[in-house]
Amino acid sequence: YGGQRQLLVEVQDDTGTCLLRFFNAYPSMQKSLVVGKRIRALGEVRGGMVGMTMMHPSVRSAEADLPKVLTPVYPTTAGLPQTYLRRAIDAGLSRAELSDTLPRQALGALGLDPNWTLKSALHFLHHPTPDVTISMLQDRSHPAWRRLKFEELLAQQLSQAKAKHERNQLQAVALPASVPKATGQDAQGLHAKLLHALPFSLTDAQVRVSQEIDQDLSRPVPMHRLLQGDVGAGKTVVAALAAARCIEAGWQCALMAPTEILASQHFTKLLAWLEPLGIQVAWLTGSQKVKERREMLTLIASGQAQLVIGTHAIIQEKVSFHKLALVIIDEQHRFGVAQRLALRGKTNDAAEQPSQLEPHMLMMTATPIPRTLAMSYYADLDISTIDSLPPGRTPVLTKVISEQRRDEVVGRIRAQIEAGRQVYWVCPLIEESEALDLANATATHAAISAALPGVDVGLLHSRMPSADKKAIMARFVQGQMGVLVSTTVIEVGVDVPNASLMVIEHAERFGLSQLHQLRGRVGRGVVASACVLLYSTGDGSRLGDLALERLRAMAQTNDGFEIARRDLEIRGPGDFLGSRQSGAALLRFADLVEDADLVDQASGFAPRMLAQYPQLAEQHIHRWLGGQVDYFKA
């Protein structure tokens, strides 16, 4: 005894010796641990002055045959012992209703071993046999794991396919395409007139996706389409053409953007295109004065406002549309499920249309969706892709530079200003933070202003009053300001062709998608542009592996689709999706990158299962998703 009721036991095997330390030991325990007895001890091994030690391990006799199954070790917390967890989980497995919901005759064609049912797979993974290869359990390649992962992916696919099928049973107004009676200046019809009035020609990709949208709008079922394209690919003009078709048919269109800056950019651009054609465009944001807002609400409710552009203010209860038929949501991943549903509901509030009509929905994103992600989380949507950039867009040269070379970067800014160009400088914080030693926008603004005397240096961040933000952006857009120091409020939507240099401070703190969005603010004109990723390690140590991987990816490619693929690999689908699913992690076992073959199989099988085995499909969805099914309906 090493003190009252404390027992110390030294054990030895062919790898060495270990000291077992027991507290509150009973005499019977001492009798069972006699010299020469073979035991099996399970616990955390710690090193120390006396060598390897286990504190109060679980001990079993090893005289009997080897166990038929391995002992599971579960994640736990203080006060919740493994023995309790094992008993509770075993009891749950014995009580669970685990009848198979997969048709047995389909398993072989799906590449699944029919000997592994859901019940046998779950029991095996909790109690694997000693002969199993540990690597197959760790990398989840064992047939039992594959059965579990396929079931999870299939539930997701079934839910998406069911949501899409249910939406196709709803009614929407069919918006027929007008047949232009002439071309050029004599073109008749709003859609044709807009095409002629544009100061540029559409790319082949823009023509293709516009035709896909036109086909959807001509049907009496609600369109539910995601328009994706890289930064600067020209999604806005495609949306404008869709809006023109809706308005030409005598209906209203609404466009909602996540920030006032982005909404303002859309308003300015669409107003310039559509107002000369006789279209009345309304503007609706939360920062409007009461009188202006009341006037906008009146125009919207009466139907005089044919296109309504704004922020979340559009979905507020007081906003009532006259005849709403098309809803366009920009940067859709920035909106939650409830917000998208609220905008859909505005059709049913309309004064002069049957309440059973649903709006057509066109969602846009400048964050390209990797294939496996599109096949899983976006399987309920039709996806259009603008896969080429308009002519004249110059590739942006990206440089990864240490914070220690900050003075060189400021010198580069001076050269750009002298050449008549403009510069962005992006910071991750607004003010000093005790928790994070990061550059802040206000301090950086002061430092750059001091380093560049005579240069108009502006400051923009989300806490500024709306009027101040508009004034700052207007000066920068008009070329009156040389440098704009900003937080990520300029991430999307800002279009200043004269801006040729982007500096992102503490770039190691940003995700790949956000870095790519920020980089897209330059290179929008004909002049060569650059993006400087300014990183800092604080204590002078090397960057972490993930941060280094992100920055290298940015320097190696300008392709948004390749960036998105790497971003998915680094972050996983939960972080990549953001508010699409309101933060819910809908995949716990499958990995979209590692299990791409299972995604393909589940995607192909789900429609057949819904059609041939509808009852089993319902049971499968309910078992795996339960209340999370609603996330797929927005």
Side-chain angles (χ1 to χ4, degrees), residues 569-624:
E569 290 180 356
I570 293 171
R571 289 197 292 161
D575 289 337
F576 191 100
L577 287 166
S579 58
R580 154 90 176 158
Q581 309 296 350
S582 297
L586 297 184
L587 284 179
R588 291 177 295 167
F589 307 116
D591 181 285
L592 293 182
V593 177
E594 300 295 331
D595 301 316
D597 62 323
L598 292 179
V599 175
D600 281 335
Q601 292 170 2
S603 175
F605 182 62
R608 299 206 313 271
M609 184 170 175
L610 270 177
Q612 299 175 18
Y613 309 97
Q615 188 172 355
L616 287 178
E618 286 290 341
Q619 294 173 6
H620 194 84
I621 294 171
H622 179 74
R623 167 181 285 166
W624 279 93

Side-chain angles (χ1 to χ4, degrees), residues 236-302:
T236 303
V237 69
V238 172
L241 289 167
R245 177 166 177 175
C246 172
I247 295 166
E248 187 175 359
W251 295 79
Q252 287 174 297
C253 173
L255 190 157
M256 186 169 72
T259 67
E260 192 162 326
I261 286 180
L262 179 54
S264 177
Q265 292 273 334
H266 282 311
F267 179 73
T268 302
K269 188 171 290 186
L270 292 174
L271 190 68
W273 290 342
L274 296 174
E275 192 176 46
L277 302 179
I279 302 304
Q280 184 156 2
V281 184
W283 168 247
L284 201 60
T285 69
S287 64
Q288 282 176 312
K289 293 182 179 180
V290 174
K291 181 181 178 181
E292 181 186 3
R293 182 177 179 79
R294 189 179 295 121
E295 291 174 352
M296 292 295 108
L297 291 177
T298 300
L299 290 173
I300 296 169
S302 66

Side-chain angles (χ1 to χ4, degrees), residues 8-58:
L8 301 178
V9 179
E10 186 178 78
V11 294
Q12 182 178 7
D13 65 8
D14 55 3
T15 65
T17 61
C18 182
L19 186 67
L20 310 184
R21 185 184 295 270
F22 299 91
F23 299 97
N24 298 320
Y26 292 95
S28 58
M29 181 179 290
Q30 183 183 11
K31 293 179 180 178
S32 66
L33 296 172
V34 296
V35 175
K37 187 173 180 64
R38 295 178 68 243
I39 64 168
R40 199 173 288 114
L42 176 64
E44 181 181 354
V45 180
R46 301 177 182 176
M49 294 181 62
V50 296
M52 306 304 290
T53 304
M54 279 190 189
M55 307 297 288
H56 216 294
S58 172

Side-chain angles (χ1 to χ4, degrees), residues 262-537:
L262 179 54
S264 177
Q265 292 273 334
H266 282 311
F267 179 73
T268 302
K269 188 171 290 186
L270 292 174
L271 190 68
W273 290 342
L274 296 174
E275 192 176 46
L277 302 179
I279 302 304
Q280 184 156 2
V281 184
W283 168 247
L284 201 60
T285 69
S287 64
Q288 282 176 312
K289 293 182 179 180
V290 174
K291 181 181 178 181
E292 181 186 3
R293 182 177 179 79
R294 189 179 295 121
E295 291 174 352
M296 292 295 108
L297 291 177
T298 300
L299 290 173
I300 296 169
S302 66
Q304 290 176 265
Q306 296 155 293
L307 173 62
V308 182
I309 300 174
T311 59
H312 303 74
I314 291 179
I315 62 176
Q316 291 181 355
E317 187 175 344
K318 293 182 180 180
V319 182
S320 177
F321 285 83
H322 184 68
K323 291 176 66 178
L324 179 64
L326 173 62
V327 167
I328 301 171
I329 302 177
D330 197 13
E331 293 302 316
Q332 59 85 31
H333 63 281
R334 302 275 287 271
F335 293 99
V337 171
Q339 292 166 323
R340 292 195 300 275
L341 287 173
L343 189 50
R344 279 177 58 188
K346 287 298 176 184
T347 304
N348 296 334
D349 293 339
E352 291 194 7
Q353 69 186 77
S355 61
Q356 70 270 19
L357 285 180
E358 286 277 316
H360 297 286
M361 290 194 72
L362 176 63
M363 292 165 283
M364 302 193 295
T365 178
T367 303
I369 310 299
R371 176 179 175 274
T372 53
L373 201 61
M375 290 180 63
S376 53
Y377 286 90
Y378 293 94
D380 61 322
L381 303 180
D382 296 308
I383 299 179
S384 292
T385 302
I386 303 179
D387 51 10
S388 62
L389 296 178
R393 290 296 302 269
T394 56
V396 178
L397 176 66
T398 303
K399 291 289 187 180
V400 180
I401 296 177
S402 169
E403 162 70 21
Q404 297 173 356
R405 297 171 58 189
R406 186 186 185 96
D407 291 343
E408 295 179 34
V409 176
V410 174
R412 175 69 180 271
I413 291 176
R414 187 180 294 108
Q416 291 293 304
I417 300 299
E418 291 173 353
R421 303 301 173 191
Q422 292 168 273
V423 178
Y424 294 102
W425 188 297
V426 177
C427 303
L429 294 180
I430 298 172
E431 299 167 347
E432 284 287 358
S433 167
E434 295 180 1
L436 295 174
D437 181 23
L438 305 182
N440 61 82
T442 52
T444 300
H445 174 258
I448 293 179
S449 297
L452 300 173
V455 177
D456 188 354
V457 181
L459 174 63
L460 184 70
H461 57 73
S462 58
R463 294 185 191 172
M464 295 171 65
S466 179
D468 292 350
K469 285 191 286 188
K470 285 183 180 180
I472 292 290
M473 279 307 306
R475 284 168 54 204
F476 191 69
V477 170
Q478 293 165 10
Q480 301 171 7
M481 182 184 296
V483 181
L484 178 60
V485 177
S486 173
T487 57
T488 55
V489 70
I490 56 101
E491 178 183 348
V492 292
V494 179
D495 187 4
V496 182
N498 192 49
S500 59
L501 177 60
M502 164 72 69
V503 180
I504 305 176
E505 191 148 13
H506 281 288
E508 76 279 1
R509 300 278 181 167
F510 292 88
L512 259 180
S513 176
Q514 194 171 37
L515 287 173
H516 184 61
Q517 289 284 344
L518 290 168
R519 179 172 61 182
R521 298 311 103 210
V522 295
R524 306 180 79 85
V526 295
V527 68
S529 299
C531 177
V532 174
L533 305 179
L534 207 59
Y535 70 89
S536 172
T537 57

